[in-house]
Amino acid sequence: MARSLRTPIALAAGLAVAFGPVAGVALAEPPAASAVAFDRSLTLQGVQNARDLGGYRTGTGQTVRTGLVYRTGQLNNATPADLAELSGRQVRVVDDLRTIYERAIGPDKLPAGASANWDDVIGQAPPEVLISTLTGGDSLYRAFITAPGANQAFAAVLHDIIATDGAVLFHCTAGKDRTGWTAAVLLTLLGVDRDTVDQDYLLSNQYRNANPADPINGVQQPWLDAAFDQVNQTYGSFDNYLRAGLQLTDTDLAALKAKLLA
């Protein structure tokens, strides 16, 4: 069932967002050795940018557990083998961060045993904001913090991670922007240092075989910087963003850390 019933903003917006990504597997050189200390790829054939979010070290020496949280692109082209792989990895919840239009033209295929939630991040953004930020960019990433409904969407994913007996998979279309910010938020609140968070974000260029200078298919460090900057502008600190923006309680944060850190 959908957690939101938001209407599409514009036909052109939906087309550009939905058809932007290209197929790709990997570039020759990863951004940093520490970001690929183990093979985090899910090796799916029809799903782009599919990887395990675990394996990273925190500032306190703990490690983010693998096999519990996955980030990917949309699942509309998932093959039967892909779905079997995800089912075998105990994916029990799929959180879809796309707009209603993206979902309509590329409906997800779900692995057996998984339920789906719709957590539309930017569907309520003003049309001029959405249309001007279809190719990534600072404005889009700032909207992840300021757009109506965005906080609720990101928070819903985190609550699913707490509540799910099994793994959670979250995705947007390309698995790089909305998905990238969700991953950055989760890793940061778990205590992973900013350099490593940046490395995970930039891995989208590797897994999508994208040139970072290509704003449709790649990602750029200044975009993620803009989101963190907007967090500070709006909330004063990342901790305030978690508590006042995403409405996470001490209990929520403790539960995420207890579940995901070893």
Side-chain angles (χ1 to χ4, degrees):
M1 296 291 293
R3 275 197 281 239
S4 58
L5 295 175
R6 301 164 190 167
T7 58
I9 296 297
L11 179 61
L15 286 170
V17 173
F19 289 109
V22 297
V25 179
L27 295 177
E29 295 296 330
S34 61
V36 288
F38 75 101
D39 183 9
R40 61 186 62 254
S41 173
L42 304 188
T43 62
L44 305 182
Q45 297 303 306
V47 182
Q48 299 181 51
N49 210 1
R51 42 197 164 110
D52 196 315
L53 200 60
Y56 293 117
R57 299 277 288 180
T58 71
T60 59
Q62 294 174 288
T63 301
V64 181
R65 288 189 172 99
T66 59
L68 291 176
V69 182
Y70 300 109
R71 53 171 295 176
T72 74
Q74 62 190 13
L75 304 182
N76 61 310
N77 290 322
T79 67
D82 293 341
L83 297 176
E85 175 69 18
L86 294 176
S87 182
R89 289 176 178 268
Q90 304 298 307
V91 171
R92 295 294 176 257
V93 171
V94 172
D95 284 323
D96 187 344
L97 307 179
R98 298 176 297 169
T99 63
I100 190 172
Y101 192 81
E102 293 169 278
R103 286 166 52 86
I105 65 176
D108 274 345
K109 298 176 182 176
L110 295 178
S115 60
N117 290 318
W118 180 24
D119 305 303
D120 184 353
V121 171
I122 57 173
Q124 294 186 71
E128 63 274 14
V129 172
L130 184 58
I131 292 172
S132 68
T133 57
L134 295 176
T135 56
D138 290 9
S139 296
L140 176 62
Y141 279 70
R142 291 182 184 279
F144 293 162
I145 288 81
T146 61
N151 284 345
Q152 292 88 334
F154 293 124
V157 177
L158 300 176
H159 284 295
D160 281 345
I161 293 169
I162 294 170
T164 300
D165 182 14
V168 171
L169 182 155
F170 60 86
H171 75 87
C172 50
T173 294
K176 69 184 184 73
D177 298 314
R178 288 161 288 186
T179 296
W181 178 242
T182 308
V185 169
L186 178 57
L187 292 175
T188 301
L189 74 84
L190 291 175
V192 176
D193 67 271
R194 177 63 189 277
D195 285 345
T196 303
V197 170
D198 291 349
Q199 290 168 23
D200 180 78
Y201 170 74
L202 292 173
L203 277 175
S204 284
N205 291 331
Q206 175 190 345
Y207 283 96
R208 287 176 50 75
N209 196 23
N211 187 321
D214 174 0
I216 293 178
N217 297 308
V219 294
Q220 300 176 17
Q221 184 62 51
W223 302 350
L224 186 63
D225 294 342
F228 278 107
D229 179 68
Q230 190 63 52
V231 162
N232 290 330
Q233 286 191 35
T234 303
Y235 294 101
S237 69
F238 186 80
D239 187 65
N240 286 343
Y241 168 65
L242 295 178
R243 298 171 187 278
L246 303 188
Q247 298 290 305
L248 297 176
T249 65
D250 288 341
T251 300
D252 294 331
L253 295 171
L256 283 165
K257 292 176 181 178
K259 182 170 186 176
L260 296 181
L261 295 180

